[in-house]
Amino acid sequence: MYETAFSLSVNKVQQSRIGILENQTLEFGKVPSDHMLVAVYKDGNWQEAAIMPYQNLSLAPLTAGFHYGQTIFEGQKAFRRDDGNITIFRLEKHFERFNKSARRMSMPEVPRELFVDGLRQLISVDQDWVIGDPGCSLYVRPFMIASEPCLGVRPSSEYLFMIVTCPVANYFDRPLRLKVETQFVRAVEGGAGAAKCGGNYGAVLLPTEIAKEEGFDQVIWTDGKTNEWIEEAGVMNVMFRIGDSLVTPPVGSTVLEGITRDSIITLARNAGISVEERRIKVDELLSAYDDGLLTEACGIGTAAVIAPIESIRIGERDLTFNVEDMLVDDLKSQLTDIRAGRAEDVHGWNDIIFAG
Ligand SMILES: *Cc1c(COP(=O)(O)O)cnc(C)c1O
């Protein structure tokens, strides 16, 4: 059991539901593990937090978060290592990003003990839900919603911070077919694109559904002013191989600061691969492709680590890419090996919970 100074009451289930994992194909985010963490912010302070059996909430219809989108979240994973212990990947970085999102959305920051220690303790309690099979993990979803029952358009005076977890199975993801989107935009300079807030996700569903009807898996977002610059691939960061360099748009107010992106860049640079974090024009993709320089593309994020892209529609053209033996394949295995405890964690990315 993980020890923490933070006052966190723990009320465990009488009977675990873990048996339901047998003979079940796990749809992402559908099966919660036994427990959840709940903390209440009220009267200007975080009140005591509790780990309790996963259960429904009771909230007033006037609850501010239902109406004005003051909701943020994180998405991270815990893995079963080869030695049986559990790793939470880059916990500190997710904590920092969560509070950055909170500031953007006028929400109170969550104290470190609540986010970091609370998360560790929750996973410790539900450690049996961290499946050890290759590719499996426990998806961890910390989130916060404005919970004051009031329709006034102002920051809420009450919040709920919660953490829920869902076991995820290895899924086979086929290479992505994307189109460069020029009608809809995800984020604009000065907007909330850098925050992991609910509204950003609500707004990308329609463009994504339209792209799916047209036979694509996702869109590649372009900038909100000119639609000439590449930003992200759906809700993942995007990376291209141009010549022998990996090129990816810089993070900022319109490109979310992906933690997987940061990890892959670090591993690439360590391996002596040149990485350029710079703006990329849609036109540059076309000309580099025609010159034979643009040979690979991928999406990068916690869900898939690296999702190979097999084609990109730009206007009337289809660029197609090699998805075998990609330059990033080795970086993906390095990342996977670090998490599994098979490779040395030189960057201190793993937060280890000793199982038992
Ligand atoms: C979460 C997210 C990413 C990926 O971030 P990771 O930390 O690597 O999971 C990229 N783009 C958007 C818009 C996101 O919300």
Side-chain angles (χ1 to χ4, degrees):
M1 175 59 73
Y2 179 79
E3 296 292 330
T4 171
F6 190 69
S7 130
L8 188 65
S9 65
V10 180
N11 171 17
K12 290 197 197 172
V13 294
Q14 305 258 303
Q15 180 76 49
S16 172
R17 284 180 285 103
I18 191 105
I20 60 173
L21 292 185
E22 281 166 39
N23 312 318
Q24 169 143 342
T25 46
L26 281 174
E27 182 181 339
F28 172 76
K30 268 256 166 141
V31 178
S33 50
D34 283 327
H35 299 88
M36 64 184 190
L37 179 148
V38 183
V40 178
Y41 181 93
K42 215 175 172 173
D43 303 328
N45 275 310
W46 285 101
Q47 316 286 327
E48 235 168 67
I51 287 173
M52 60 179 76
Y54 179 91
Q55 59 196 273
N56 290 345
L57 302 172
S58 169
L59 290 167
L62 292 182
T63 298
F66 291 153
H67 303 276
Y68 306 128
Q70 244 195 322
T71 70
I72 59 166
F73 65 93
E74 268 303 320
Q76 51 197 107
K77 282 179 171 179
F79 301 87
R80 178 76 64 180
R81 290 159 49 109
D82 289 352
D83 64 10
N85 294 315
I86 294 165
T87 286
I88 309 170
F89 190 63
R90 305 201 71 176
L91 176 52
E92 194 68 27
K93 196 100 177 145
H94 283 279
F95 164 63
E96 285 165 14
R97 190 170 68 183
F98 189 76
N99 275 344
K100 199 173 149 192
S101 298
R103 289 192 292 273
R104 180 63 184 84
M105 301 307 288
S106 293
M107 300 169 98
E109 290 185 29
V110 170
R112 164 176 280 100
E113 311 86 75
L114 179 53
F115 191 101
V116 172
D117 297 343
L119 197 153
R120 282 185 187 136
Q121 192 150 348
L122 178 67
I123 292 175
S124 179
V125 168
D126 274 336
Q127 56 181 269
D128 291 348
W129 292 81
V130 187
I131 307 169
D133 300 340
C136 296
S137 59
L138 187 68
Y139 184 80
V140 182
R141 169 57 60 90
F143 65 105
M144 175 160 40
I145 63 169
S147 54
E148 183 186 352
C150 177
L151 292 182
V153 183
R154 57 164 172 76
S156 169
S157 67
E158 295 172 21
Y159 296 87
L160 280 178
F161 170 71
M162 306 186 50
I163 309 176
V164 292
T165 65
C166 296
V168 288
N170 197 7
Y171 61 85
F172 173 75
D173 35 21
R174 74 185 156 72
L176 301 172
R177 288 185 304 249
L178 306 182
K179 73 159 189 181
V180 168
E181 175 65 63
T182 53
Q183 294 297 117
F184 296 99
V185 295
R186 190 192 81 89
V188 290
E189 290 292 333
K196 256 181 136 61
C197 61
N200 286 346
Y201 279 68
V204 304
L205 297 177
L206 175 67
T208 309
E209 286 308 299
I210 293 172
K212 283 184 179 162
E213 276 164 28
E214 295 167 353
F216 303 102
D217 299 301
Q218 259 297 349
V219 302
I220 292 189
W221 300 108
T222 52
D223 72 284
K225 273 190 190 139
T226 64
N227 298 117
E228 285 178 5
W229 301 92
I230 298 289
E231 296 200 324
E232 297 199 56
V235 291
M236 288 187 284
N237 294 111
V238 66
M239 190 174 261
F240 303 96
R241 176 181 183 175
I242 301 179
D244 283 324
S245 288
L246 295 174
V247 186
T248 185
V251 295
S253 71
T254 61
V255 175
L256 192 120
E257 200 181 334
I259 293 169
T260 318
R261 173 189 178 280
D262 179 77
S263 310
I264 292 292
I265 290 175
T266 304
L267 294 174
R269 289 193 172 138
N270 270 12
I273 299 169
S274 127
V275 182
E276 298 169 33
E277 293 181 76
R278 63 167 175 85
R279 301 182 78 201
I280 309 161
K281 264 199 157 151
V282 177
D283 280 350
E284 179 187 347
L285 291 187
L286 286 169
S287 58
Y289 185 81
D290 289 336
D291 293 342
L293 292 171
L294 172 60
T295 51
E296 297 175 12
C298 62
I300 303 184
T302 293
V305 183
I306 284 174
I309 296 171
E310 74 176 17
S311 70
I312 301 178
R313 166 78 52 89
I314 301 179
E316 305 284 290
R317 294 201 48 195
D318 273 311
L319 315 189
T320 59
F321 300 100
N322 165 38
V323 293
E324 305 290 329
D325 301 320
M326 290 172 68
L327 187 58
V328 288
D329 286 350
D330 187 51
L331 304 173
K332 181 176 178 175
S333 345
Q334 281 184 41
L335 192 69
T336 315
D337 285 348
I338 291 171
R339 291 186 314 208
R342 286 189 295 265
E344 200 193 338
D345 178 20
V346 289
H347 307 287
W349 287 341
N350 289 335
D351 223 276
I352 300 170
I353 292 177
F354 295 98

